[in-house]
Amino acid sequence: MKQINEDIKKQNFKQVYLLYGEERYLRRQYRNRLQAALCGDGDSMNTHFYEGKDIPVGEIIDLAETLPFLAERRVIFLTDSGLFKSGGEKMAEYLSAPNETTFFVFTESEVDKRSKLYKTVNTKGYAAEFKVQDESTLKRWIASSLSRDGKKITEDTVQFLLQKTGTDMENIQMELEKLVCYCLDREVITPADVEAVCTTRISNHIFDMINAIGDKQTRKALDLYYDLLALKEPPMRILFLIARQCNLLLQTRELKSKGYDNRTIASKIGVPPFAAGKYVAQAGRFQTAALRRAVAQCVETEEAVKTGRMNDRMSVEILLLSVL
């Protein structure tokens, strides 16, 4: 990221950039910065956009060989092309010696670093990975973002906000906009404000559902399920998330039994460090054997639905009544 900022500042650009990784908000932000820096205002003649798989690589190469019209450069933006996973050999060959007046900006969710295209871009241009940001970085970003709108937030309130929104910066940004509008002339954002306007992630509902099961509160677990159905969440997606949660708890319990600390557990199961304590506490409510049975029951339930032996909505209800 620092390299891109430096290139923009000095107006000394690489011919090809690759922006990839899980954090889509940052990918989009840096693509927009590059677009503003590389392309003249309203220069539609020399700015081109392609998105999705099966893009016409041959057509793009032909375009790249065309000199820009009354401009310094031609810029081609490609988003989620999939070429860094497969089928990128022809593009890699071209980028090894591209037209000097044509620049490329790739934005991808996933890449294979072993691919010829990735290696070519990494050699001829610059590849920037945008990972999920850690807790301290997110807190600073949230405080800075709110400060620009004349708002303040305490450490405890930021923590509560992250628990509801997760670590996706795009999602957090939308929730911050709602908070700023909701608070109007008030300077300090409170936990009550967060509770009032911020949307709780579906994964939080699943977490609460598993907690209810652990506390033998079957009615509460079913009510949470019906809430998700009311929000138009498909039963099979809910089943997938229940299975995922049970699997994470099983991993957490096994890692904890081996003596790993919470930060290491968070890294190994792929959750934010600040959430590790919640997973460890929830996993402690169940025996390992019960969690293994729960994962198996989720698989059996999915199979029953896919083979037509059971209705999807009812299958999850039965699972919640019998799991764990």
Side-chain angles (χ1 to χ4, degrees), residues 72-83:
E72 182 181 353
R73 63 179 73 91
R74 184 179 300 280
V75 188
I76 301 175
F77 294 86
L78 300 98
T79 302
D80 290 328
S81 67
L83 293 174

Side-chain angles (χ1 to χ4, degrees), residues 210 213-216 245-257 279-297 323-324:
I210 301 299
I213 293 171
D215 293 336
K216 309 300 181 185
Q245 183 69 12
C246 290
N247 191 40
L248 287 174
L249 293 178
L250 177 59
Q251 293 178 56
T252 298
R253 187 166 179 82
E254 291 179 339
L255 289 167
K256 194 66 178 177
S257 69
Y279 279 83
V280 170
Q282 189 173 78
R285 298 182 180 204
F286 306 103
Q287 295 298 317
T288 301
L291 291 169
R292 290 187 187 279
R293 284 197 305 273
V295 173
Q297 284 178 274
V323 76
L324 302 174

Side-chain angles (χ1 to χ4, degrees), residues 95-110:
L95 290 178
S96 63
N99 181 352
E100 292 182 357
T101 60
T102 301
F103 291 70
F104 290 82
V105 179
F106 292 91
T107 306
E108 303 284 334
S109 300
E110 295 181 282

Side-chain angles (χ1 to χ4, degrees), residues 154-173:
T154 67
E155 175 82 13
D156 288 345
T157 306
V158 171
Q159 192 76 38
F160 181 50
L161 174 65
L162 287 173
Q163 288 174 4
K164 288 183 74 72
T165 63
T167 57
D168 184 285
M169 293 177 73
E170 191 167 64
N171 184 48
I172 295 172
Q173 181 63 40

Side-chain angles (χ1 to χ4, degrees), residues 150-217:
K151 304 296 180 186
K152 295 180 180 179
I153 190 167
T154 67
E155 175 82 13
D156 288 345
T157 306
V158 171
Q159 192 76 38
F160 181 50
L161 174 65
L162 287 173
Q163 288 174 4
K164 288 183 74 72
T165 63
T167 57
D168 184 285
M169 293 177 73
E170 191 167 64
N171 184 48
I172 295 172
Q173 181 63 40
M174 290 190 292
E175 299 302 329
L176 291 179
E177 290 172 3
K178 288 159 59 177
L179 282 170
V180 169
C181 293
Y182 180 75
C183 292
L184 295 176
D185 296 329
R186 284 192 291 112
E187 184 180 24
V188 179
I189 291 173
T190 67
D193 298 326
V194 174
E195 183 64 44
V197 302
C198 292
T199 303
T200 302
R201 293 174 300 161
I202 180 176
S203 57
N204 282 11
H205 281 284
I206 302 298
F207 196 96
D208 292 341
M209 194 183 293
I210 301 299
N211 267 346
I213 293 171
D215 293 336
K216 309 300 181 185
Q217 297 176 336

